[in-house]
Amino acid sequence: MAKSTEKIKPIKSGVESVERALSLLEAFNMGDNGLALKELAQRTGLNKATLLRLSASLEKFGYLSRDDDGNFHLGSSLWKAGSIYRDNLQLGKIIRPVLIELVEKTTETAAFHVLRGNSSVVLYCENSKRRMRYHIDEGEITPLNVGSSGKVLEAFVSPETSQSKIIQEQGYYISLGERDPDIAGISIPVLGRENELIGVISLSGLVNRFTEDNIKNYLKVLLTISKKVCLAFGSK
């Protein structure tokens, strides 16, 4: 009998089957146009039999779907859950006006990112009104190790690294063509009452517009607005 290739990890707390189901959902990345069973097995370390059992339950509740080719897709229930999450947090009442203000003062695209697993997720965004711009959609997911928003979030997830310490000390991070050679960004953390990380505000645009002088102006606006937002969340 062939041995299972499933990676069994010790569970310190919680329900193992639930954690495995969540790892299945976390396996999807931005740009995935459906995942085959084999790919899901490789990404999660779970064997195919386990994945099929878990997927049946997730499909039943709308968190996963499967097309005619047998490929898996994230289900519509996740969109509903995300909408409820945003409404319950009441973040929009504070964040959306701030993003609009940022776009008006800089003419670049502004967004608010939160941490989800090992990724950065765009919770709210306000796109630049310029014809040549960097466009962002709410719900976009990017890795933590590239781009300004990801790097700032990572600085709070892994605060012990030298780069994280620098980002936390200076209070922002500037990315010039890291994720895309044509795109630049500046991100700054939003902290709560106990200095806990709530999210990250970013300003993004075409790299040729992020000149030294413009970066100074953008950063000044970002720092001023972030202080106002942090105060709204109880930070001193």
Side-chain angles (χ1 to χ4, degrees):
M1 182 181 292
K3 293 183 179 180
S4 169
T5 59
E6 184 175 334
K7 300 174 183 177
I8 304 298
K9 298 179 180 179
I11 303 299
K12 295 181 179 179
S13 62
V15 179
E16 187 173 14
S17 60
V18 174
E19 293 184 359
R20 290 184 177 185
L22 291 174
S23 74
L24 194 162
L25 297 178
E26 290 287 334
F28 289 84
N29 297 319
M30 196 68 183
D32 286 337
N33 187 22
L35 295 179
L37 184 61
K38 181 180 179 180
E39 179 65 21
L40 273 177
Q42 291 175 344
R43 292 189 184 188
T44 62
L46 300 173
N47 64 39
K48 294 179 181 179
T50 299
L51 286 171
L52 288 173
R53 289 196 302 271
L54 294 172
S55 65
S57 295
L58 291 170
E59 285 184 72
K60 180 179 179 180
F61 286 90
Y63 289 96
L64 204 66
S65 64
R66 203 170 187 185
D67 60 28
D68 294 336
D69 295 324
N71 293 323
F72 292 91
H73 303 263
L74 292 177
S76 58
S77 289
L78 287 169
W79 178 261
K80 177 184 176 182
S83 298
I84 294 173
Y85 167 72
R86 287 184 294 183
D87 289 342
N88 286 346
L89 284 179
Q90 296 292 300
L91 288 175
K93 294 180 180 178
I94 298 173
I95 299 298
R96 287 198 186 279
V98 163
L99 299 183
I100 292 172
E101 183 181 351
L102 271 173
V103 174
E104 289 176 348
K105 290 184 175 180
T106 66
T107 73
E108 302 295 354
T109 291
F112 180 74
H113 311 253
V114 294
L115 184 68
R116 195 203 76 175
N118 293 317
S119 302
S120 167
V121 181
V122 177
L123 199 58
Y124 304 107
C125 69
E126 184 70 22
N127 284 295
S128 169
K129 302 301 185 291
R130 301 180 75 160
R131 296 188 68 178
M132 297 295 292
R133 65 184 183 183
Y134 175 50
H135 183 91
I136 297 177
D137 291 315
E138 293 182 0
E140 281 191 21
I141 302 173
T142 55
L144 295 185
N145 59 346
V146 291
S148 62
S149 62
K151 286 292 181 66
V152 173
L153 287 171
E154 187 178 44
F156 288 82
V157 174
S158 305
E160 70 281 354
T161 68
S162 57
Q163 186 179 52
S164 293
K165 291 177 181 177
I166 292 173
I167 292 173
Q168 289 203 37
E169 184 177 340
Q170 67 184 13
Y172 63 88
Y173 183 80
I174 300 172
S175 169
L176 298 174
E178 283 184 19
R179 190 155 55 90
D180 185 307
D182 297 321
I183 304 301
I186 307 175
S187 291
I188 193 163
V190 173
L191 305 176
R193 185 183 301 275
E194 303 298 328
N195 279 332
E196 74 277 12
L197 180 69
I198 295 174
V200 168
I201 294 177
S202 71
L203 198 64
S204 306
L206 303 185
V207 71
N208 60 1
R209 291 207 292 261
F210 276 61
T211 62
E212 186 175 343
D213 288 339
N214 280 343
I215 286 175
K216 289 181 180 179
N217 293 331
Y218 294 163
L219 194 53
K220 183 178 179 181
V221 174
L222 267 172
L223 289 170
T224 300
I225 285 179
S226 71
K227 288 180 182 178
K228 181 169 62 175
V229 175
C230 289
L231 286 173
F233 287 115
S235 179
K236 296 180 181 180

